[in-house]
Amino acid sequence: MKNVIVNVTLKSGVLDPQGKAIQESLNSLGYKEVQQARVGKSINLQVEEGSNLEERVREMCDKLLANPVIEEYSFVVEEAVRS
Amino acid sequence: MKFAVVVFPGSNCDRDMYHAVKEVLKEDADLVWYQSANLEDYDAILLPGGFSYGDYLRSGAVAATSEIMQQIKAQAAKGKPVLGVCNGFQILLEAGLLPGAMQRNKNLSFMCHQEPLVVENNETLFTSIYDQGEVVNFPIAHGEGNYFCDEQTLETLKANKQIVFTYKNNPNGSVADIAGIRNEEGNVLGMMPHPERAVEALLGSADGVKLFQSIVKNWRESYVANA
């Protein structure tokens, strides 16, 4: 079993109203050094091992997990820790 | 004319849509559950607003992967009118039937009020009874109606006259004030404002009636032409 951690973020040119609100909140708390905040999401998948795992995860991202019009994604594959 | 109103888990404007067609237009309509629908027998397909699948992942994203989308794509390819309102528009975008994507409203608020819209193109299946440039009042009710597309897509939309409605006073930050667009072929319209909630004076506006009447009129005319 593998853990796949998919990170979905807005493309750099796309305005992020939520991120803007967070940046302004941090600024008003006194963290004036924060120049930008961007909000994304992290999706953790537990996946059975297979030879084309990365290719299939890329497909999942393209088809569903990210919207290519406004988002981009990256992912890391880790050994799943048995509990 | 027979309309299908496709109901997803979490749709909540399905009955308004049904009421508009059945009671106001006096046309035939069925509420069809997304898992058991056969769209072959219908003349037009309506995707209502709501929060399909709780808006999980992205608004409309999960509904866009459901099996019925294959049927909707096939019927759209045949030229049948497909209208997606609010969440229905978001589903059409996620399914790739219309270009672009939705983002959170610029002010991050869910907005629910009437907005004046401009009919940007009255040479469509959906707007032929309106005047070009006519201002109509439709309610909006959305948290993610901030339409986004890249510049190249926007140029294409403009060149093909695919922008059907714009906001007079852009409430949500949409690119080019876009409130509704159609596909290149002209038979698929997506819009955030709700024409089905503007069909009787009692509701505050009856400006939406002409949209549904346009669909019926154009269908009748093409039916006669092909008979």
Side-chain angles (χ1 to χ4, degrees):
Chain A
M1 202 68 100
K2 299 276 188 189
N3 270 344
V4 180
I5 302 152
V6 181
N7 232 320
V8 181
T9 51
L10 283 171
K11 282 181 180 171
S12 59
V14 177
L15 201 76
D16 180 1
Q18 242 187 123
K20 188 98 177 70
I22 290 170
Q23 182 218 327
E24 283 165 10
S25 292
L26 287 170
N27 291 161
S28 72
L29 281 173
Y31 301 102
K32 307 282 185 207
E33 67 271 34
V34 179
Q35 296 300 302
Q36 198 187 46
R38 308 278 290 171
V39 179
K41 52 193 138 188
S42 164
I43 302 160
N44 294 10
L45 309 171
Q46 269 194 25
V47 185
E48 283 175 24
E49 285 183 49
S51 55
N52 50 357
L53 184 138
E54 298 212 352
E55 187 193 327
R56 289 179 67 82
V57 172
R58 256 191 296 280
E59 263 179 45
M60 294 177 208
C61 290
D62 290 333
K63 280 187 188 167
L64 180 66
L65 301 181
N67 181 335
V69 179
I70 46 173
E71 294 171 330
E72 51 199 9
Y73 62 85
S74 60
F75 60 87
V76 289
V77 181
E78 293 173 348
E79 207 58 50
V81 183
R82 291 191 184 277
S83 56
Chain B
M1 185 172 184
K2 202 170 175 188
F3 289 79
V5 179
V6 180
V7 185
F8 290 98
S11 296
N12 69 5
C13 301
D14 40 332
R15 282 172 194 275
D16 303 63
M17 201 69 113
Y18 178 81
H19 173 84
V21 174
K22 193 89 174 174
E23 307 301 334
V24 181
L25 257 82
K26 311 285 184 197
E27 294 290 331
D28 212 356
D30 285 329
L31 289 163
V32 296
W33 182 239
Y34 78 115
Q35 280 177 322
S36 48
N38 180 356
L39 299 175
E40 194 64 45
D41 296 336
Y42 294 93
D43 304 308
I45 299 162
L46 306 174
L47 302 182
F51 299 85
S52 58
Y53 297 90
D55 274 352
Y56 294 162
L57 191 61
R58 294 179 306 277
S59 304
V62 180
T65 64
S66 61
E67 258 176 63
I68 196 168
M69 270 334 284
Q70 298 310 317
Q71 278 197 61
I72 294 171
K73 283 181 182 169
Q75 298 302 325
K78 285 187 193 172
K80 276 189 195 172
V82 178
L83 169 66
V85 169
C86 198
N87 189 228
F89 185 14
Q90 294 164 337
I91 294 170
L92 291 173
L93 292 170
E94 283 286 346
L97 278 165
L98 292 171
M102 282 299 168
Q103 284 194 276
R104 292 278 293 272
N105 292 342
K106 196 176 60 181
N107 64 4
L108 296 174
S109 299
F110 185 97
M111 288 184 289
C112 190
H113 59 257
Q114 219 172 68
E115 272 291 334
L117 309 178
V118 180
V119 179
E120 290 290 332
N121 184 356
N122 75 338
E123 292 177 346
T124 81
L125 276 184
F126 305 91
T127 55
S128 59
I129 300 179
Y130 293 104
D131 293 328
Q132 178 70 21
E134 187 175 336
V135 176
V136 293
N137 284 300
F138 289 177
I140 60 164
H142 59 246
E144 295 190 19
N146 180 353
Y147 178 80
F148 177 86
C149 66
D150 59 31
E151 274 178 37
Q152 198 188 343
T153 308
L154 183 61
E155 287 314 309
T156 312
L157 288 176
K158 284 179 178 167
N160 295 334
K161 297 191 172 170
Q162 286 175 255
I163 302 172
V164 180
F165 292 103
T166 53
Y167 297 107
K168 208 160 187 268
N169 318 303
N170 192 343
N172 53 25
S174 289
V175 161
D177 303 331
I178 285 173
I181 54 169
R182 61 172 183 158
N183 63 346
E184 228 178 299
E185 294 75 17
N187 64 312
V188 178
L189 173 67
M191 59 192 297
M192 288 313 291
H194 290 268
E196 82 284 6
R197 291 193 197 171
V199 290
E200 287 167 273
L202 189 63
L203 298 172
S205 166
D207 291 348
V209 176
K210 285 198 267 186
L211 189 146
F212 294 99
Q213 285 174 338
S214 297
I215 302 174
V216 175
K217 179 173 179 276
N218 287 300
W219 180 80
R220 294 249 151 81
E221 283 169 3
S222 71
Y223 192 78
V224 170
N226 297 325

